[in-house]
Amino acid sequence: MIFLLSWIKEFINFNYNISKLFNEIGIEIISIKKVYPIKYNYNNNIILGNIIKIKKINNIYKIKIKTINNDIFNIYNKHYIKKNIKILVEKINKKYFIVCKEYDYDYIINTNITHNISYLSYYYYLSRELYSYLKYKNINTKLISIKNINIKKLNKINLKIKSKNIIYYNTFLINNFKFKYSNYFIQKKLVLSNIKPINNIIDIKNIIIKEIGIPIEIINFKYSKSNLIIKENNKNINFITENKNKYLLKKNKNIILFYNNYPIYLSNIINSNKNKINNKTKNLLISFSLYKKNKIRYIINKYNINNNITKLYNNIIILPKYNIYIYFLNKYLNINNINNIKYVYYYKNYKIHNNLIKLKFSEVNKLIGKKISIKKILKILLVLNYKIKYYNKKYIILINKNLFKYNINKKINIINDIIRFYGINNIKFKNNKYNILIKNNNYINNNYLNIENIENKIINLLIDYGFFQVINSPFVKNNYYLNFINNNYISFKDKIINKLTYLRNNLFINMMNNIIYNINRKINTIKIFEIGNIYIKKNNKIIEKKNIEILLTNKNNNYFNNLHYLYNILNLIIEKVGIKKYNKLIIYNSKIFETKIIFKYKNIPIIKFGKLNNFYINKNIYLAIININNLFKIINNKNIKYKKINKFQYFVKDLSFIIDKNIYFNNFYLLAKKKLKNKLINIYLFDIYKNNLPKNKKSYTLRFIIKNKYGKKKKYINNILLVLINLFKNKLNAEIKK
């Protein structure tokens, strides 16, 4: 999740280290980058220019500006600006205004937010959490105040809701709308958040979603046809989206917004091509809506839909107060000079969570592993806006007043809030009643930042190759896989975690559930990975280790292609962290793998991978296990040398040969390396083929990675390939396959 520091400070003013603040409330910061907004691309109303002349007239400066297209015009400004610097200029009502100078900057904060606190992905709720934490720390800060804004109500529009699957629907009308580009204030927010600005209304929609995280519908409205009904369709309907995709919506299976008997919205996730907003649009209906999650997820899975709204439903959906919608809508409409807004319709079909929650202090201390004073627990709960009804030395009874946490009523989430605010660094674990001690290797604690950098390198590389990161619980419900893999698993008999009674000793145990979930939804290609701790029982003690584990299954069930694809990625990972030489070991008939391949460095295992044994799944699944602890041991004791990156890209060429069955890849490898040692980076076996060939023959496809030091052309490459073809022909009797 990406945040802008300037955007956060629109909601809350504070003087506190931002990275420290985020980490203390449980948000992991991946990176903080200083950016200059002037360097980014905006729409046509934002012009890049250069100051060529400044002249003072009375108390105003006349600034002469030259654009990239050599257009010259004047701007009048109250403050002096240096000559020969670049500026961004915005054209508003035929006048030009300076909006950004060359040296103006902002900060982009790239974070990783876990699912249980995913409501912190939105600026308004993040600011409230920051405010609560700073208040807990007794640090002076100010939070934006949301005041009630009175707007007129319009009763002319006939809108009916005939579905029980709608939780919330809040509608506003905008009259005399003008379709145009957004101003710099809005475009800057979107551009720096990796969102492309489109037009003023779509941009406002995207910004409000990022601020309060609620799905928004926009209707191109005409007064003459004002009948709006939201209901389940009573017959099969052909629905064409604005992107011209076609869906057959079956009877009574979908919630549809009908406008004058035409379907214009499938739930609140897909817009119809009959509801396009264009230059002729004059009136808009904007609806903040929330449908039941189970119904929406059924539609998402059935039609395989993936957009910004589906991502909202995959996280915890928040429910702001009524006045918050009006505040933000009014704010951004005013920025774009749109003043004609009227309230139309309000519908609510939910009960605010006001159940009494009884929380025993012994449960809190047991789960945290340390006794926290009652005063500190009460203080944390109060700043987090929990209402305390009663407490004594043993327990506390409270009400959750946080509307944006309306579906979070589990005790574990409240305890998680207490841990985050109390500070995980303030908790020192001791031996518990099971006499179990979790051992961390010292080098991990002393070099946390270094090992984190290695992890980030591997994670970024996997994401670049299309893998998705998953996060699973460290507990396992069923011990079948644990018994199959390793008998040294850890079991608990605890009332708090009676449903999850086994600690994982491999990450892929829970990742298999992710694979099965996606296979059941007919997703053929699945590429996932997880980073986390595993726990192994040894001499009545728990040893904690850290792994990155990768699972891959593909529509193409070709064993060699998939294994080689995974092999190449693992090679890249090892190169990325600075290890050049390592040994390979192949083991057959492994418990987990059909065939296991191990990468070792001086007898220290780094990676093991291969095709998994079938766990009741009719698919080839490939697993790679990267031992982070051993990897860091090697790197920590090894001097890594750096060399300049070659400015010319290397060449990749494939050649197929027909050879005798008694010849193997190693014969090709040794000959090529000996002959062209200084010109080849590496050689890979890409494919083996035996069909439609004589019995004593087979086909090898080899991939050659060729150096390119001086930017040489095709003749240089062709000469190397001819040398290789002649070499293999003479020495191995290999024929080139055409």
Side-chain angles (χ1 to χ4, degrees):
M1 182 66 198
I2 291 173
F3 294 101
L4 295 181
L5 183 60
S6 62
W7 199 342
I8 294 170
K9 290 202 169 184
E10 285 179 24
F11 293 89
I12 179 171
N13 290 320
F14 59 90
N15 290 316
Y16 199 84
N17 184 293
I18 190 68
S19 58
K20 189 179 177 184
L21 182 57
F22 271 51
N23 285 322
E24 285 175 1
I25 65 163
I27 298 176
E28 179 192 358
I29 289 187
I30 297 167
S31 65
I32 298 178
K33 183 182 175 184
K34 190 175 184 179
V35 292
Y36 293 88
I38 197 167
K39 294 181 180 179
Y40 289 78
N41 293 323
Y42 300 87
N43 279 331
N44 297 342
N45 60 328
I46 311 294
I47 303 163
L48 180 64
N50 194 49
I51 297 174
I52 55 175
K53 191 176 180 181
I54 297 175
K55 186 179 179 182
K56 191 173 183 181
I57 303 169
N58 297 327
N59 294 324
I60 295 174
Y61 293 94
K62 183 182 177 182
I63 301 166
K64 198 171 190 177
I65 292 167
K66 186 178 181 180
T67 67
I68 297 171
N69 300 326
N70 294 322
D71 295 329
I72 295 173
F73 54 85
N74 295 318
I75 291 178
Y76 296 90
N77 200 49
K78 290 181 180 179
H79 303 287
Y80 176 78
I81 302 173
K82 292 179 183 178
K83 287 182 186 178
N84 301 320
I85 67 161
K86 291 178 182 177
I87 59 169
L88 283 180
V89 176
E90 182 176 12
K91 189 177 181 181
I92 303 172
N93 297 331
K94 298 181 181 180
K95 291 183 180 180
Y96 293 95
F97 299 90
I98 296 170
V99 291
C100 179
K101 304 179 189 88
E102 192 172 16
Y103 43 78
D104 291 343
Y105 61 87
D106 205 336
Y107 288 96
I108 293 174
I109 306 161
N110 191 6
T111 65
N112 182 21
I113 296 176
T114 55
H115 179 73
N116 63 317
I117 53 170
S118 62
Y119 56 88
L120 297 183
S121 302
Y122 311 109
Y123 280 92
Y124 178 65
Y125 304 98
L126 172 68
S127 65
R128 286 170 66 95
E129 197 86 352
L130 295 176
Y131 176 75
S132 297
Y133 182 76
L134 293 169
K135 195 175 175 183
Y136 168 70
K137 288 283 187 180
N138 298 319
I139 296 167
N140 289 330
T141 183
K142 284 185 179 180
L143 184 69
I144 185 175
S145 60
I146 305 292
K147 296 178 181 178
N148 290 326
I149 299 169
N150 294 320
I151 57 173
K152 292 179 181 179
K153 186 175 179 181
L154 188 72
N155 296 317
K156 292 179 182 178
I157 296 171
N158 184 18
L159 197 157
K160 293 178 182 177
I161 292 176
K162 294 184 177 181
S163 173
K164 293 179 181 178
N165 288 304
I166 296 171
I167 295 172
Y168 187 90
Y169 209 84
N170 197 3
T171 308
F172 302 90
L173 175 70
I174 300 168
N175 289 327
N176 303 322
F177 168 75
K178 289 183 181 178
F179 187 86
K180 59 182 181 180
Y181 290 128
S182 298
N183 68 359
Y184 170 78
F185 176 75
I186 290 173
Q187 284 193 48
K188 176 199 163 188
K189 286 183 174 184
L190 293 170
V191 165
L192 295 183
S193 302
N194 290 334
I195 300 171
K196 184 182 177 182
I198 299 169
N199 59 61
N200 50 354
I201 198 65
I202 301 299
D203 293 349
I204 289 172
K205 175 184 174 180
N206 288 332
I207 276 190
I208 293 177
I209 286 174
K210 284 191 75 66
E211 290 188 332
I212 59 175
I214 194 85
I216 299 173
E217 297 173 350
I218 302 174
I219 300 166
N220 188 350
F221 185 72
K222 296 176 183 177
Y223 277 105
S224 58
K225 300 174 182 179
S226 59
N227 292 320
L228 287 153
I229 300 172
I230 306 172
K231 62 178 182 178
E232 278 80 9
N233 49 315
N234 54 13
K235 60 180 181 180
N236 292 349
I237 291 173
N238 288 315
F239 188 87
I240 303 170
T241 71
E242 57 186 335
N243 297 327
K244 296 186 179 177
N245 296 326
K246 293 181 181 179
Y247 296 102
L248 176 62
L249 307 182
K250 291 189 177 180
K251 182 180 177 181
N252 295 328
K253 295 284 184 180
N254 308 282
I255 317 162
I256 301 172
L257 172 59
F258 291 91
Y259 180 27
N260 197 33
N261 296 324
Y262 288 106
I264 60 167
Y265 256 105
L266 171 55
S267 302
N268 55 2
I269 49 178
I270 298 185
N271 189 16
S272 164
N273 68 333
K274 293 180 181 178
N275 188 37
K276 284 187 177 180
I277 299 163
N278 50 44
N279 293 330
K280 295 179 181 179
T281 303
K282 291 184 178 179
N283 304 306
L284 291 171
L285 274 182
I286 297 182
S287 300
F288 298 89
S289 55
L290 184 60
Y291 295 18
K292 285 186 179 177
K293 271 190 178 183
N294 292 340
K295 189 68 178 178
I296 291 294
R297 283 175 179 165
Y298 165 79
I299 294 167
I300 290 167
N301 293 329
K302 183 173 179 62
Y303 302 111
N304 196 22
I305 302 164
N306 186 18
N307 59 26
N308 290 334
I309 305 301
T310 60
K311 288 173 186 175
L312 289 178
Y313 275 100
N314 286 330
N315 291 326
I316 297 169
I317 293 289
I318 53 182
L319 200 61
K321 290 182 179 179
Y322 171 75
N323 62 325
I324 293 173
Y325 302 114
I326 302 171
Y327 174 85
F328 286 112
L329 189 57
N330 191 62
K331 173 184 173 181
Y332 290 110
L333 290 172
N334 284 337
I335 288 168
N336 277 328
N337 297 317
I338 303 167
N339 300 315
N340 301 316
I341 175 172
K342 293 176 183 176
Y343 160 62
V344 173
Y345 189 82
Y346 176 71
Y347 172 84
K348 185 182 81 168
N349 183 26
Y350 71 93
K351 291 181 181 178
I352 296 170
H353 166 64
N354 272 328
N355 294 335
L356 294 175
I357 303 164
K358 186 178 179 180
L359 188 65
K360 291 181 181 178
F361 294 117
S362 59
E363 283 182 356
V364 177
N365 296 328
K366 189 177 180 182
L367 204 59
I368 292 173
K370 181 183 176 179
K371 190 174 182 180
I372 300 175
S373 70
I374 294 172
K375 282 185 178 179
K376 283 193 175 177
I377 292 173
L378 292 175
K379 186 178 179 182
I380 291 168
L381 292 172
L382 284 168
V383 298
L384 282 167
N385 205 27
Y386 289 100
K387 186 178 178 182
I388 296 166
K389 292 285 286 183
Y390 173 80
Y391 76 93
N392 57 29
K393 290 182 180 180
K394 291 185 178 181
Y395 63 86
I396 184 170
I397 296 173
L398 48 89
I399 298 172
N400 179 12
K401 287 177 66 182
N402 299 288
L403 276 181
F404 59 95
K405 297 181 185 179
Y406 79 101
N407 61 347
I408 305 174
N409 55 4
K410 295 179 182 177
K411 292 179 185 178
I412 191 69
N413 291 303
I414 299 169
I415 295 169
N416 181 55
D417 283 344
I418 293 168
I419 292 171
R420 288 192 298 112
F421 273 46
Y422 180 76
I424 195 73
N425 295 328
N426 297 324
I427 300 169
K428 294 179 181 177
F429 295 98
K430 296 180 180 179
N431 290 9
N432 59 18
K433 68 178 183 181
Y434 297 104
N435 193 28
I436 291 170
L437 177 67
I438 294 178
K439 282 190 173 181
N440 283 315
N441 292 320
N442 290 330
Y443 64 83
I444 293 178
N445 294 327
N446 297 334
N447 299 282
Y448 176 74
L449 289 175
N450 292 333
I451 199 166
E452 194 178 46
N453 289 336
I454 292 165
E455 290 167 12
N456 287 337
K457 281 181 181 179
I458 297 170
I459 288 167
N460 290 335
L461 189 143
L462 288 170
I463 290 168
D464 287 343
Y465 275 83
F467 285 82
F468 291 90
Q469 187 174 3
V470 296
I471 300 170
N472 290 304
S473 167
F475 299 103
V476 184
K477 288 182 182 179
N478 190 343
N479 69 330
Y480 167 75
Y481 297 123
L482 293 163
N483 280 324
F484 189 77
I485 296 157
N486 189 348
N487 292 325
N488 296 325
Y489 59 83
I490 300 98
S491 63
F492 289 90
K493 293 179 180 178
D494 199 307
K495 290 180 181 179
I496 297 174
I497 54 170
N498 60 351
K499 289 184 180 178
L500 302 168
T501 53
Y502 299 92
L503 271 172
R504 65 189 178 192
N505 56 9
N506 266 302
L507 298 178
F508 86 89
I509 297 165
N510 277 332
M511 289 170 71
M512 289 299 292
N513 294 327
N514 303 122
I515 292 282
I516 292 164
Y517 178 89
N518 285 289
I519 287 171
N520 289 340
R521 279 146 189 82
K522 298 181 180 179
I523 298 170
N524 295 315
T525 301
I526 306 162
K527 298 158 75 176
I528 58 173
F529 72 94
E530 183 172 6
I531 180 167
N533 294 329
I534 61 168
Y535 307 90
I536 300 166
K537 192 176 181 181
K538 231 179 188 181
N539 302 325
N540 291 325
K541 292 180 181 179
I542 298 177
I543 297 172
E544 183 183 30
K545 294 182 179 179
K546 197 163 198 179
N547 281 356
I548 293 178
E549 297 191 16
I550 303 164
L551 280 181
L552 165 69
T553 181
N554 207 312
K555 186 178 180 181
N556 176 12
N557 265 335
N558 188 306
Y559 173 79
F560 288 104
N561 282 356
N562 287 318
L563 198 64
H564 210 75
Y565 175 75
L566 192 56
Y567 175 83
N568 285 339
I569 288 170
L570 296 172
N571 264 310
L572 285 169
I573 286 170
I574 290 173
E575 287 175 17
K576 192 91 172 172
V577 296
I579 298 171
K580 285 186 178 179
K581 294 180 181 179
Y582 56 90
N583 302 320
K584 297 165 198 165
L585 178 68
I586 299 175
I587 299 171
Y588 298 94
N589 301 322
S590 166
K591 278 187 177 181
I592 305 173
F593 302 97
E594 282 186 7
T595 304
K596 180 165 70 174
I597 303 164
I598 302 174
F599 291 171
K600 286 187 173 183
Y601 179 87
K602 294 181 180 178
N603 293 324
I604 300 172
I606 311 166
I607 296 172
K608 52 186 176 183
F609 74 100
K611 181 177 171 288
L612 269 178
N613 285 315
N614 289 330
F615 290 112
Y616 303 114
I617 299 171
N618 295 324
K619 267 200 176 258
N620 289 341
I621 297 171
Y622 302 86
L623 167 68
I625 300 170
I626 303 169
N627 190 321
I628 292 292
N629 298 4
N630 286 351
L631 196 64
F632 187 71
K633 258 185 193 176
I634 294 161
I635 294 162
N636 202 36
N637 297 323
K638 188 174 178 293
N639 293 322
I640 299 170
K641 294 179 180 179
Y642 296 91
K643 64 178 182 180
K644 286 184 179 179
I645 297 170
N646 187 11
K647 66 179 179 179
F648 301 109
Q649 189 176 2
Y650 56 78
F651 292 100
V652 179
K653 293 291 178 182
D654 295 341
L655 291 174
S656 293
F657 296 94
I658 297 171
I659 53 172
D660 294 335
K661 275 196 173 180
N662 60 349
I663 294 170
Y664 297 97
F665 169 68
N666 205 37
N667 302 114
F668 285 93
Y669 185 87
L670 293 172
L671 280 171
K673 277 285 186 181
K674 189 176 180 180
K675 184 77 174 176
L676 298 167
K677 186 178 180 181
N678 298 323
K679 294 181 180 179
L680 288 176
I681 298 171
N682 214 336
I683 307 162
Y684 299 107
L685 176 59
F686 188 74
D687 191 24
I688 301 172
Y689 183 76
K690 294 179 182 178
N691 297 337
N692 302 324
L693 290 172
K695 287 183 179 179
N696 62 336
K697 295 285 183 180
K698 61 182 176 183
S699 171
Y700 270 8
T701 301
L702 304 176
R703 176 162 287 175
F704 300 93
I705 314 296
I706 303 166
K707 289 180 183 177
N708 184 19
K709 284 187 178 179
Y710 309 108
K712 293 185 177 179
K713 297 182 181 179
K714 286 184 180 178
K715 285 184 181 179
Y716 167 75
I717 302 302
N718 291 336
N719 288 336
I720 290 174
L721 294 176
L722 280 171
V723 170
L724 288 168
I725 291 165
N726 291 328
L727 178 69
F728 298 145
K729 186 177 180 181
N730 295 331
K731 298 286 183 181
L732 302 174
N733 197 24
E735 295 178 17
I736 193 78
K737 188 179 177 183
K738 295 180 181 177

